[in-house]
Amino acid sequence: IQCIGPVAPPANDEPCTAVAIPLVNTNCLTQIPGSTVGATATATNSLDIAPLTPNSGCGAVNYNGGDVWYSVTVPATGLIGINITESGVCATGIGLYTAPNCAAGPYTWLTGTATGVCSVDGLTGPTSSPGIVFDPGTYGLTPGQTVYIRIWERSNNENGGCTICAYNSQAPANDEPCGATLLTALDPCTPVEYN
């Protein structure tokens, strides 16, 4: 027998109860389980200003309420990578924010404008891995500063489980001109994937 009824929101339903994710080396071996089941929209108060609404800052990501929050601390050096593995969530959206105070805000997109840093996976469905890698220095972030990670299910209609991790990503060897990858002209041309 199955019963259908209200589901309690996850503990990290609001920014101030965000689950802190430790940066683990340069990979994502340590996954933190999570879920969007029962998630509600971020409380409508002084925090929920226009930049906090993903649809107005992140493009057509079909945010329809139901978000959960995580956080990561800016490391002394390196890039920050965030990966999500979808086990039950159909299409995950990721939005990155900063705030001087979790309770008082104001929350702003990581860029500081209404067009924030975000990623959405809505094409491949469960078991795909949306993610993002960014350079904290590009956005004027300082070591020890908190970045808030907002996760939602596109359209809020296929919620479920997922795992999330953060890692101290390294720039690729060809990140600067002097480390450029030498390409060889071949016939026939065979594309090689780079990151």
Side-chain angles (χ1 to χ4, degrees):
I1 297 175
Q2 291 185 336
C3 296
I4 298 175
V7 177
N12 57 334
D13 197 45
E14 295 293 331
C16 284
T17 58
V19 173
I21 305 173
L23 289 178
V24 181
N25 300 323
T26 57
N27 56 45
C28 255
L29 293 178
T30 303
Q31 299 281 328
I32 295 175
S35 175
T36 58
V37 174
T40 64
T42 297
T44 303
N45 54 29
S46 60
L47 303 180
D48 206 6
I49 56 177
L52 202 58
T53 305
N55 289 330
S56 65
C58 196
V61 297
N62 297 323
Y63 175 79
N64 196 25
D67 49 35
V68 292
W69 293 84
Y70 296 86
S71 67
V72 66
T73 302
V74 175
T77 60
L79 310 175
I80 296 177
I82 299 165
N83 277 354
I84 294 176
T85 301
E86 300 168 331
S87 57
V89 176
C90 181
T92 306
I94 305 169
L96 304 178
Y97 301 85
T98 58
N101 179 296
C102 84
Y107 280 79
T108 57
W109 282 106
L110 186 57
T111 57
T113 70
T115 54
V117 174
C118 56
S119 172
V120 112
D121 164 58
L123 303 176
T124 54
T127 73
S128 62
S129 299
I132 216 168
V133 175
F134 67 97
D135 182 352
T138 300
Y139 304 105
L141 301 180
T142 57
Q145 190 171 355
T146 299
V147 174
Y148 293 91
I149 306 162
R150 186 185 205 181
I151 306 295
W152 66 91
E153 198 284 323
R154 185 188 64 164
S155 299
N156 197 32
N157 61 351
E158 296 179 81
N159 288 293
C162 61
T163 59
I164 186 170
C165 66
Y167 58 100
N168 197 342
S169 180
Q170 302 303 307
N174 60 341
D175 192 49
E176 297 291 337
C178 289
T181 300
L182 178 63
L183 302 177
T184 305
L186 299 173
D187 189 19
C189 181
T190 304
V192 176
E193 186 173 331
Y194 294 95
N195 189 352

